[in-house]
Amino acid sequence: MSNVKLHTLHCHLNDETDSDEIYLKYNENKIWPMGFFKLVNSGDIKKLEITLKHEDPKKPLIIEVWNYDFLSKNDLIGTFELIIGSETSGRFQANMKPAEKRGTASYLLDWEILN
């Protein structure tokens, strides 16, 4: 088992014409923010400081990026696939893989494996 710390979320390009209303999920549970969502625009860097326990180093840790919608179903914008490995430690960055049929959103996650 590894502890994984999510440090920051960087928005290079938001999905909507105005701000994205972002929240993150792990294992079907919302992990950030404490409220409904955070407004995110291109160029924003949001501090996360979340530590997760990852049970199986042979499987990637998947973080989902969701956009909160007021009048319709919330949208999955994309995912971060973090490869842990059994003996790996250190600080890394991962680019978001956009969800199918989504816009051109671009997010980067700064994260660390704590062993």
Side-chain angles (χ1 to χ4, degrees):
M1 175 173 44
S2 295
N3 289 316
V4 176
K5 187 166 189 174
L6 310 180
H7 289 284
T8 54
L9 180 68
H10 303 245
C11 178
H12 296 296
L13 182 64
N14 52 308
D15 188 55
E16 298 183 340
T17 55
D18 57 354
S19 301
D20 288 347
E21 295 84 22
I22 295 297
Y23 64 95
L24 303 178
K25 291 176 75 173
Y26 170 63
N27 283 344
E28 300 183 23
N29 296 305
K30 184 177 162 197
I31 58 169
W32 180 87
M34 294 297 286
F36 289 108
F37 58 84
K38 285 282 187 183
L39 291 175
V40 181
N41 290 296
S42 296
D44 286 354
I45 299 173
K46 298 296 183 180
K47 189 173 182 177
L48 303 174
E49 300 305 328
I50 299 165
T51 301
L52 304 170
K53 293 189 183 303
H54 186 59
E55 301 291 332
D56 188 351
K58 295 178 184 174
K59 293 183 180 178
L61 185 149
I62 307 293
I63 303 294
E64 297 177 340
V65 182
W66 287 82
N67 190 44
Y68 182 88
D69 285 324
F70 294 98
L71 302 175
S72 63
K73 187 175 138 185
N74 294 343
D75 300 311
L76 175 65
I77 292 177
T79 57
F80 293 105
E81 186 172 309
L82 311 181
I83 307 300
I84 306 303
S86 60
E87 297 184 37
T88 306
S89 64
R91 196 155 174 167
F92 307 91
Q93 292 185 329
N95 287 305
M96 182 186 77
K97 177 183 173 187
E100 289 185 32
K101 302 177 184 176
R102 290 302 305 167
T104 57
S106 177
Y107 283 85
L108 178 91
L109 182 66
D110 180 32
W111 61 285
E112 181 176 10
I113 299 171
L114 310 168
N115 281 336

